[in-house]
């Protein structure tokens, strides 16, 4: 199975919203509609630091990585912060999450971002296993922040 990873596009909105609803249900989170709409608008705002990478499989959006960039805390240059990474329930466990992570690591190297870092719940063993693979890898410094 090979996923295509690309930037989100306005025509993805309907599919992205369905995936977002699955995401909220999966994490048992309730979000006000205005907040969801605001997030979506910011994804497509060129002036926004928020960006999204989309995983597409057979023409269907099946996952996303929602990220933001900001000026580095300790060194000059930008850092990349992974806000959320989510994969559709239909393809979980089939490597889409890893493909999204590989894409972000490569994007950091390409853009010269000093760090890629993320947070994950201590109890989420699947996410911790995936993220720790990258924490221990060579190259750009990567951090996992527990909450």
């Amino acid at each position: 199975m090979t996923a295509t990873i690309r930037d989100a596009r306005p025509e993805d909105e309907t599919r992205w919203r369905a995936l977002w609803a699955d995401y909220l249900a999966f994490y048992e989170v309730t979000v006000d509609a205005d907040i969801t709409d605001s997030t979506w608008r910011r994804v497509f705002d060129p002036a926004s630091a928020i960006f999204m990478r989309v995983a597409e499989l057979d023409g269907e959006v099946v996952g996303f990585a929602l990220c933001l960039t900001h000026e580095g805390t300790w060194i000059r240059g930008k850092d990349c912060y992974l806000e959320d990474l989510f994969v559709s329930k239909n393809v979980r466990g089939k490597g889409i999450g890893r493909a999204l992570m590989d894409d972000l690591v490569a994007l950091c190297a390409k853009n010269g971002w000093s760090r890629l870092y993320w947070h994950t719940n201590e109890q989420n063993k699947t996410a911790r296993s995936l993220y720790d693979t990258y924490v221990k890898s060579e190259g750009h410094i990567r951090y996992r922040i527990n909450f």
Side-chain angles (χ1 to χ4, degrees):
M1 180 184 312
T2 303
T4 300
I5 312 294
R6 58 171 176 76
D7 291 329
R9 299 183 299 230
E11 56 266 32
D12 293 324
E13 182 166 358
T14 300
R15 291 183 293 179
W16 182 85
R17 285 187 183 278
L19 195 62
W20 181 252
D22 182 22
Y23 168 86
L24 296 178
F26 182 76
Y27 287 107
E28 298 181 343
V29 172
T30 302
V31 177
D32 180 76
D34 290 340
I35 296 174
T36 303
D37 291 343
S38 175
T39 301
W40 179 254
R41 283 194 300 272
R42 289 183 68 191
V43 166
F44 293 109
D45 178 2
S48 173
I50 290 181
F51 70 96
M52 179 186 284
R53 300 293 278 176
V54 169
E56 191 175 67
L57 189 64
D58 297 327
E60 193 66 30
V61 174
V62 295
F64 65 80
L66 187 63
C67 311
L68 65 88
T69 57
H70 61 87
E71 293 304 315
T73 309
W74 296 288
I75 63 174
R76 292 178 183 172
K78 287 189 181 270
D79 290 340
C80 176
Y81 182 70
L82 175 60
E83 285 279 357
D84 286 300
L85 182 149
F86 185 71
V87 176
S88 167
K89 61 188 172 195
N90 301 323
V91 292
R92 281 182 203 141
K94 296 186 178 179
I96 303 297
R98 185 169 296 279
L100 281 161
M101 289 295 292
D102 286 343
D103 173 73
L104 288 174
V105 170
L107 205 60
C108 281
K110 177 182 174 185
N111 292 332
W113 295 335
S114 58
R115 291 184 289 275
L116 168 62
Y117 60 107
W118 51 81
H119 59 243
T120 183
N121 192 306
E122 286 274 9
Q123 306 305 313
N124 192 333
K125 293 180 181 178
T126 302
R128 288 189 56 168
S129 174
L130 172 63
Y131 298 159
D132 284 349
T133 301
Y134 294 92
V135 171
K136 295 172 184 175
S137 66
E138 298 297 324
H140 286 261
I141 301 169
R142 293 176 271 286
Y143 298 93
R144 175 170 53 76
I145 303 168
N146 294 322
F147 70 91

